[in-house]
Amino acid sequence: GYGSASRLTDPECHIKCKNVTDNEHQPKQLQKVTTLTNNVVTGTNSNAWIIDDDSYNLGKFNQTEGSWPIHHPLPLPTWSQEKIDPFVFEKVWQYEDLIGKIETILQHMLEETHYNTANNFVDFYQSYKRSAKSTGNNDLRGFFQNYVIPINRRHHMCVSLGMEIVSRLAEFDRKIANHFYLVSCEEAVEAIAPYIEHCEHKNIESVGETLEKEHALVAMRIRVTGRDGILLLDPGYHVARAVTIMKDQCYPHTGWFIQSDEPHCKREYCYTFSHQNANYVAWTERVTRGVQQTHEVSVIYVERPYKTAIDVTVRRNLVYNFRSLLSRDAKGRVCAGLYFPIVPNSSEATVTLFYDSVKDTSVKVKQLFSVFRDVNKIPDNIMTHLSNLAPQLRFQLDELIELLSSLAEIVRDQDFVTQILNINDSITEMSADN
């Protein structure tokens, strides 16, 4: 909802902010026994990673709000001052055994969850419209700055997917789950060395006003036969394996692997510690289309746990100009879904639907959003596509139609679209030099 007091603060007098919580989805009896103390949720389930079937214990993930300087498009990212100790393995086979179990849990989770920035976009829009109606204030930027982000176990982005995998690992072994922590990622960095030098000139917090931190994943420090490394899990990018990054790049270092291999495009990933500073992991993506190859490098800060994954990363993605709802299989293949860009001209707004078909083929169709404005007039051929897509998304047909109708309403709201694109542009400009 829309907070009553502005979060903006003068950069010279940043205040310590309260935690981000999802009390809206907590049972009433649990709200009575849950308090926020020193950034930790305490109460009946203080040691649990999940509160109920739909809510995470955000205190367990050490989440808080960042300070928000006046005229800045996002809150400032913050990290814990304490490091997490490594999980020690005396023998390589012990690590191999654990990786096998983690990957089984991870792959089941990928198959059972979506990557979904469509439903939370609808929630954001509907909350904004209710606020505008009740207050008479149509300023989206002000609403965005005070919006309390709902985090649940139904509509996942990268942050809640990270929370979900840790919560599931906790059911397997709480000791292991205690060693995992959220880490932040700056995507598509132009040059690693200047970026790291910029971040480490004083400390990473001191350059927070230039960081976008549009992605988050989870990490665990490891020590295998006396050698240090990091284990990364990235369900937000559909990675179906536990990625091992050893400082010496010797076994069990993962190295290059194929993330996806489609007829038109092969995508490969490689993760290594930065040679410049081991507080950072370089994530290189190599994309091959025909005879052409492109490379892109993102940088993951692994030294300390990321405390503003919700307040910065999820908030940033709320105003991103591309949305999707994706279903994955156990190997991380994106097999069905929908996606769309947010474009300035509402009459040109389109959505792409795709799903698996017979004989290992897939169907992809692009439609104007306008066909979903009246759910009673959706053409028969589009209804056929929706009927095929819905079960692959594990949606009821009417649920999928309702979602598309809601999205069609949003993209034709010209004032909202203009404002959200302006906010997105201001964030992009903020981090343009990274």
Side-chain angles (χ1 to χ4, degrees), residues 226-335:
R227 298 176 297 123
D228 288 336
I230 285 278
L231 167 62
L232 291 179
L233 302 178
D234 192 359
Y237 268 92
H238 329 305
V239 179
R241 66 174 66 205
V243 179
T244 304
I245 307 104
M246 300 300 295
K247 287 186 177 180
D248 61 10
Q249 296 193 28
C250 294
Y251 188 83
H253 183 75
T254 299
W256 282 100
F257 64 92
I258 298 173
Q259 170 60 19
S260 63
D261 193 359
E262 303 293 337
H264 64 287
C265 176
K266 181 167 75 170
R267 197 176 302 273
E268 299 167 276
Y269 291 165
C270 183
Y271 300 76
T272 56
F273 279 101
S274 165
H275 297 298
Q276 185 176 358
N277 190 312
N279 293 345
Y280 300 83
V281 166
W283 164 27
T284 304
E285 178 185 42
R286 181 168 63 203
V287 177
T288 304
R289 290 184 172 90
V291 296
Q292 293 187 333
Q293 278 192 349
T294 59
H295 292 79
E296 185 173 275
V297 180
S298 301
V299 179
I300 306 165
Y301 179 66
V302 297
E303 179 69 359
R304 291 179 281 139
Y306 183 35
K307 295 179 64 176
T308 49
I310 295 173
D311 199 30
V312 175
T313 301
V314 178
R315 191 177 301 276
R316 190 275 168 266
N317 279 281
L318 282 174
V319 292
Y320 190 54
N321 61 354
F322 189 85
R323 323 301 299 179
S324 61
L325 166 59
L326 308 174
S327 180
R328 298 84 60 87
D329 66 16
K331 296 302 181 182
R333 184 178 72 90
V334 178
C335 47

Side-chain angles (χ1 to χ4, degrees), residues 343-370:
V343 296
N345 188 344
S346 60
S347 65
E348 298 175 355
T350 61
V351 59
T352 299
L353 313 174
F354 67 98
Y355 56 89
D356 283 344
S357 188
V358 297
K359 297 181 179 179
D360 294 327
T361 61
S362 61
V363 173
K364 181 183 291 187
V365 57
K366 180 186 288 188
Q367 287 293 327
L368 288 170
F369 259 118
S370 56

Side-chain angles (χ1 to χ4, degrees), residues 186-213:
E186 196 84 13
E187 295 183 350
V189 172
E190 290 186 5
I192 295 180
Y195 172 82
I196 293 177
E197 183 179 353
H198 173 65
C199 290
E200 292 295 313
H201 177 67
K202 184 176 180 182
N203 58 53
I204 194 168
E205 284 89 354
S206 68
V207 296
E209 291 190 25
T210 66
L211 303 179
E212 189 170 346
K213 294 300 178 184

